[in-house]
Amino acid sequence: MVVGDAALDVIARHDKPLPHGGDARAKIRFTGGGAGANTALWLRSLGAETTLLARIGDDPGGRLIRAELEAAGVRCAFAVDAEAPTCCVVVMVDGSGQRSMLADRGANQRFAPGDVTAEALEGASHLHLSGYVLLDPPSRAAGLAALAVAKEAGLTTSVDPQAAAHITDPAAFLADVRGVDLLMPNTEELVALTGSADPASAKELLGTVGAVVVTAGLDGASWVDAGGVTSVPAVEAECIDSTGAGDAFDAGVLTGWLAGESTVDILRHGTRLGALAVGKVGPQPS
């Protein structure tokens, strides 16, 4: 089961720096998005039975997102908000494939503990939580409720912090994820949590969480647990659009970990999917 945002993405690809107060030509595409939905779809592309728990608006965007996810085989356990619109994200992708995002979380910001139901968790063995839920104060209680219900039900758990810029109180965030089996930051998020980009710095997080999986883009990925640090190189790929690469990486890692594979193979699953994600436009599998 995945808990996180489902969104409409507006992706604008531009080759030149954006002029302040001026105009720029771009290639624009509308697509499904949201970290939760992205991870759910990548998991489904690997054959995993997947449920997405999120909150959408009672609007055309929400209905489109549900239709696309269900067509791909993702079970949608959605709360429908009668007032707030479905989350929308403007994604600006530069000539090197790096993305900057402007997000209006909309209905997802109103995700509430009451949305986390026993019916939604039915049949789940693992819960993966997008950090956006915890890092936005209005939805934090729902994220904590999801982790608590998962623990009570005996599910394994994982959290991707998602946004280094929003980790303004590392101690509070780490308190929120205490007891999680896997914490899955990228390098920037690791710096926000430990003050260091060195994967070995994640050792100080052990005890709070069971293991830490760090993705570092072109520098590959690392698994950090009580046994030490294991690293693999990145899979070579042309970076067309980095949007959602971390969500794809998460899906690859979780699939391998839940199947009981070796640490190296788990990381290789993640880097392979990350490479597939950056090699195409949009955050979701084709």
Side-chain angles (χ1 to χ4, degrees):
M1 147 160 277
V2 178
V3 180
D5 291 1
L8 292 172
D9 281 4
V10 182
I11 299 177
R13 298 172 61 212
H14 57 94
D15 295 329
K16 298 180 180 179
L18 295 176
H20 179 69
D23 297 341
R25 298 190 183 280
K27 294 182 179 179
I28 296 177
R29 176 177 172 181
F30 294 85
T31 181
N38 298 341
T39 301
L41 282 168
W42 283 105
L43 284 167
R44 189 72 193 106
S45 75
L46 296 172
E49 295 295 328
T50 307
T51 296
L52 174 62
L53 176 57
R55 192 174 184 91
I56 59 172
D58 185 13
D59 53 25
R63 289 187 283 276
L64 176 62
I65 288 171
R66 182 192 291 272
E68 290 185 343
L69 287 164
E70 289 181 343
V74 174
R75 174 175 170 253
C76 296
F78 286 168
V80 178
D81 197 301
E83 299 177 359
T86 297
C87 176
C88 184
V89 183
V90 177
V91 186
M92 297 172 288
V93 182
D94 66 18
S96 67
Q98 297 305 306
R99 61 48 164 189
S100 300
M101 299 197 303
L102 300 171
D104 179 349
R105 293 193 67 231
N108 277 310
Q109 194 173 44
R110 292 156 59 103
F111 186 52
D115 298 335
V116 184
T117 64
E119 181 183 4
L121 270 69
E122 184 179 352
S125 60
H126 179 86
L127 184 141
H128 176 72
L129 175 65
S130 165
Y132 288 123
V133 177
L134 290 176
L135 292 171
D136 199 347
S139 59
R140 174 174 171 266
L144 293 175
L147 290 175
V149 170
K151 182 177 181 179
E152 183 178 349
L155 277 60
T156 52
T157 54
S158 56
V159 175
D160 183 331
Q162 295 289 356
H166 297 323
I167 303 176
T168 56
D169 189 341
F173 178 80
L174 290 172
D176 285 351
V177 300
R178 179 172 295 278
V180 164
D181 294 287
L182 296 181
L183 185 64
M184 310 177 77
N186 63 21
T187 299
E188 291 74 21
E189 293 150 10
L190 182 65
V191 171
L193 293 171
T194 69
S196 172
D198 185 348
S201 71
K203 291 179 181 178
E204 68 185 66
L205 305 179
L206 301 178
T208 298
V209 299
V212 182
V213 189
V214 183
T215 177
L218 295 176
D219 292 325
S222 299
W223 178 286
V224 184
D225 61 16
V229 180
T230 302
S231 299
V232 302
V235 174
E236 186 174 344
E238 179 185 5
C239 185
I240 296 173
D241 178 3
S242 63
T243 312
D247 305 326
F249 174 85
D250 290 350
V253 166
L254 291 174
T255 302
W257 182 65
L258 292 170
E261 298 188 19
S262 72
T263 300
V264 169
D265 285 340
I266 290 169
L267 292 173
R268 285 174 175 164
H269 283 307
T271 55
R272 180 179 65 84
L273 252 66
L276 288 175
V278 302
K280 57 180 287 298
V281 178
Q284 298 177 346
S286 301

